[in-house]
Amino acid sequence: MTSDETSQGRAARLRRRWDREAGGYDRAFAAAERRMFPDVRHRLCARAEGRTLEVAVGTGLNLEHYPRAVTAGAPGGLVGVEWSPGMLDVARRRAARLGLDRDVDLRLGDAQALDLPDDAFDTVVCTFSLCAIADHRRALAEMTRVLRPGGRLLLADHVASSVWPLRALQALADLVSVPLAGEHFGRRPLRWVTEQGLAVEEHERTRAGVIEQVVARLPAGAPVRG
């Protein structure tokens, strides 16, 4: 079996796992969210402006936090891409409950290979998802590619702690969580954001440095990074 076949098989297994967990994901995640980052979604998504893309939209937990100017913009003003059909189904039902089903475009897609044109969005959002994307550097390169010069990238995730004993525990957790569920606890996407040529405007770490928020802008006239 080739490495590509092995990678494809692992991706298919992980997608089936997310599909199975989609129905109970919100309940399982709620307690951790209330304790660790109760207001992060609202604070970050409120910064979205213009045509907005959310990468790895999941079950649509961010939908209610976007400004109405974003969700009620031109058709496709808010586009959400999700890898798991099961998670996407939940997001679409949430959009319908919120009365947003006609305003947002929720579609299947891979964060590592976005089927979207260059320079298409004023804002790109990704929350608590880079930790579970196999090649997060490639995903960040794609987010930069579709971002218009002058546009902003809004990120939030759990990352490697700034406290070394906790960081050591995260490294141990990775030994189990990465092969089993594709979940990484020791990543620091900020370094790859700056490598993509974006200028960090705001950066905040909380909860022993485990929760990180980044607001970065693609400079006007910046070359597209691939």
Side-chain angles (χ1 to χ4, degrees):
M1 182 177 291
T2 66
S3 60
D4 283 347
E5 289 171 335
T6 300
S7 177
Q8 290 170 8
R10 183 170 185 270
R13 176 178 62 80
L14 290 174
R15 184 183 283 111
R16 289 193 297 271
R17 175 182 176 272
W18 285 114
D19 286 346
R20 288 194 304 271
E21 295 187 2
Y25 178 83
D26 293 355
R27 291 189 300 276
F29 204 57
E33 181 158 345
R34 286 194 300 269
R35 182 172 64 254
M36 294 292 290
F37 46 95
D39 61 345
V40 168
R41 294 184 190 278
H42 178 75
R43 289 173 57 197
L44 200 68
C45 294
R47 306 294 298 277
E49 297 177 342
R51 191 166 190 236
T52 297
L53 169 68
E54 182 174 343
V55 175
V57 70
T59 61
L61 288 170
N62 287 337
L63 292 177
E64 64 185 285
H65 300 294
Y66 286 107
R68 188 59 182 156
V70 169
T71 57
L78 174 61
V79 177
V81 173
E82 173 53 41
W83 186 56
S84 159
M87 301 286 273
L88 187 62
D89 285 344
V90 177
R92 285 171 172 162
R93 292 197 294 271
R94 172 173 271 115
R97 289 197 303 272
L98 293 170
L100 299 175
D101 47 320
R102 295 184 180 182
D103 299 323
V104 301
D105 177 3
L106 302 177
R107 60 175 77 172
L108 279 173
D110 185 348
Q112 301 162 118
L114 294 170
D115 186 17
L116 294 164
D118 296 351
D119 305 338
F121 295 92
D122 302 292
T123 306
V124 176
V125 179
C126 186
T127 62
F128 305 102
S129 298
L130 278 172
C131 53
I133 295 173
D135 190 340
H136 69 300
R137 280 181 279 183
R138 186 175 171 187
L140 283 166
E142 281 289 271
M143 294 180 208
T144 305
R145 178 183 66 79
V146 302
L147 192 63
R148 291 172 181 153
R152 286 195 298 189
L153 177 66
L154 309 178
L155 298 178
D157 222 317
H158 64 75
V159 301
S161 174
S162 55
V163 178
W164 77 260
L166 184 52
R167 193 163 60 245
L169 290 175
Q170 289 174 307
L172 289 174
D174 274 358
L175 296 176
V176 176
S177 64
V178 173
L180 181 65
E183 180 85 5
H184 297 76
F185 289 92
R187 286 177 168 173
R188 281 299 310 282
L190 179 63
R191 70 186 66 172
W192 310 120
V193 169
T194 56
E195 279 197 0
Q196 286 299 315
L198 283 87
V200 175
E201 295 184 334
E202 297 178 29
H203 173 230
E204 181 180 354
R205 296 179 74 179
T206 57
R207 300 296 192 271
V210 170
I211 304 301
E212 184 168 61
Q213 299 175 64
V214 176
V215 176
R217 189 179 297 274
L218 183 64
V224 174
R225 302 290 297 270

